[in-house]
Amino acid sequence: MQYGTRIAAFVLYLLHYQLLPEKRLAVLMADLFGVKLVTATIARISRDCAQRFQGFAEALREHVASAPVKHMDETGFRIGGKTQWLHIASTVWLTFYRTAAKRGSLLANVSGIVVHDHWKPYYTMTGVLHALCNAHHLRELKALVEIEKEDWACKMQRLLRRACHATNLAREQGVPLKPDLIALIDRCYDGILAKGLAFHESQPALAKTGRRGRQPRRVGHNLLLRLSTRKRDVLRFLTDPSVPFTNNLAERDGRMMKLRQKISGGFRSEDGAKDFAVIRSVLSTARKQGWNMLQTLTAEPARLMADIRMA
């Protein structure tokens, strides 16, 4: 049985965007349209679509890699009964997904600024600047305030929130943050770090659990050292209006991928996971571009690429 492009677009939209499991999708198509599909047919429709949009996905990859600012994240992905990884690279207008057997298999040939959550392998990337997710820092500081009762953490939490508010106001007005205000935030930041480090250095050392390895440090001490050594990356949003305060964009792009696994479980094969990554890249980009989903799935990839908005 052969099905037209419109039926195929319905299947792809419901399967890869609304994340219906294949069996439920087959029931829905039969109930609503009188179209009887088997899972093998659904898999073939996905395979054909992924092959058609493969070049489009590769173009997305190149555009995201060369964008002035891009967000990156990764999440575990069950493929063939094993945990592999889905890597996310996105901008405000574009999304690129890819699967990899190893978490550390990072996107190559990247330039510009990479916004991420301080996963250390990102710092092995060459030729890029880094901006750290301050939503992560605020969550860690909140735990230190509520559980450890560390005074410096409360002050740093307040400073970062005020700095975020100030940059948002400046961005809305279309003006850069005033140099005097940046210098003030910088001095306050250093002062809070100095007090926090002095507090932790005055605490009794933690007992080592083994003969080897460095002396263990408290959670707050580790965060202080990160905020100190990566200060420029933490505060990059102050001096560059194009850099956001958080990495929430990539986290939002990855959140639905975890939902897909909760609904349908893992992928049976690597080919199926790769097809999903290609098609989801197209659909996520289409949503950001404001395109009609069904028209996107039936359009020629070359025409879509000609209409794509980068910034």
Side-chain angles (χ1 to χ4, degrees):
M1 182 77 67
Q2 297 294 318
Y3 297 102
T5 56
R6 193 73 172 171
I7 289 294
F10 284 144
V11 169
L12 294 164
Y13 172 73
L14 292 170
L15 180 66
H16 294 298
Y17 192 80
Q18 296 299 342
L19 305 176
L20 284 182
E22 290 178 351
K23 291 182 179 179
R24 285 179 56 198
L25 173 56
V27 172
L28 182 147
M29 295 297 291
D31 289 344
L32 293 185
F33 305 112
V35 175
K36 295 182 179 180
L37 297 171
V38 295
T39 55
T41 301
I42 294 172
R44 178 181 57 77
I45 291 173
S46 290
R47 177 90 284 250
D48 292 345
C49 179
Q51 289 177 346
R52 190 160 63 88
F53 279 101
Q54 186 64 50
F56 182 87
E58 288 299 321
L60 288 178
R61 180 217 174 284
E62 297 302 322
H63 287 309
V64 172
S66 61
V69 178
K70 72 278 300 168
H71 297 249
M72 290 189 177
D73 202 0
E74 69 290 327
T75 185
F77 226 42
R78 295 293 290 177
I79 303 174
K82 299 179 181 179
T83 298
Q84 297 196 34
W85 297 90
L86 182 76
H87 289 263
I88 303 132
S90 60
T91 69
V92 174
W93 297 104
L94 310 171
T95 309
F96 175 69
Y97 298 103
R98 65 186 182 91
T99 59
K102 296 181 179 180
R103 187 181 183 187
S105 178
L106 300 178
L107 199 65
N109 302 319
V110 177
S111 59
I113 298 172
V114 178
V115 185
H116 58 86
D117 57 5
H118 194 262
W119 186 48
K120 289 184 179 179
Y122 285 121
Y123 278 99
T124 65
M125 301 175 75
T126 58
V128 300
L129 296 175
H130 301 268
L132 295 181
C133 176
N134 283 297
H136 277 75
H137 294 146
L138 289 177
R139 287 195 290 269
E140 293 179 75
L141 290 167
K142 182 180 179 181
L144 289 172
V145 171
E146 295 178 352
I147 300 171
E148 303 297 337
K149 312 298 182 185
E150 296 189 16
D151 183 59
W152 75 269
C154 182
K155 293 177 179 178
M156 182 62 78
Q157 194 178 40
R158 190 181 302 117
L159 177 66
L160 289 177
R161 284 174 175 166
R162 289 178 175 175
C164 176
H165 180 65
T167 55
N168 287 340
L169 287 177
R171 194 176 289 116
E172 289 172 3
Q173 296 169 6
V175 297
L177 208 59
K178 294 181 179 180
D180 290 347
L181 181 55
I182 295 175
L184 175 61
I185 294 171
D186 194 85
R187 289 195 301 273
C188 291
Y189 186 93
D190 288 341
I192 294 169
L193 288 181
K195 290 180 180 178
L197 288 170
F199 166 77
H200 275 280
E201 287 166 2
S202 67
Q203 299 300 301
L206 296 175
K208 292 184 68 172
T209 57
R211 294 183 178 181
R212 298 183 180 181
R214 63 171 177 79
Q215 185 71 33
R217 290 190 289 258
R218 292 174 174 81
V219 174
H221 197 180
N222 284 327
L223 178 58
L224 279 162
L225 293 174
R226 186 202 315 162
L227 294 175
S228 177
T229 57
R230 300 299 184 187
K231 173 186 172 182
R232 183 174 298 180
D233 301 338
V234 173
L235 298 180
R236 194 172 299 279
F237 70 94
L238 289 175
T239 55
D240 190 336
S242 66
V243 175
F245 183 72
T246 73
N247 193 31
N248 287 349
L249 177 64
E251 293 188 0
R252 285 195 301 269
D253 288 334
R255 195 169 296 135
M256 296 304 290
M257 306 300 98
K258 300 302 289 185
L259 180 60
R260 195 270 176 202
Q261 287 198 120
K262 290 179 180 179
I263 295 172
S264 302
F267 291 88
R268 290 187 291 272
S269 68
E270 290 188 13
D271 288 340
K274 289 178 180 178
D275 292 347
F276 173 78
V278 169
I279 298 170
R280 188 73 196 196
S281 296
V282 175
L283 291 173
S284 179
T285 298
R287 181 60 73 194
K288 291 179 178 180
Q289 297 284 330
W291 298 341
N292 178 279
M293 292 294 202
L294 297 181
Q295 291 176 2
T296 297
L297 290 167
T298 57
E300 285 299 320
R303 185 182 66 79
L304 292 177
M305 187 51 64
D307 295 339
I308 206 163
R309 181 177 180 180
M310 305 294 180

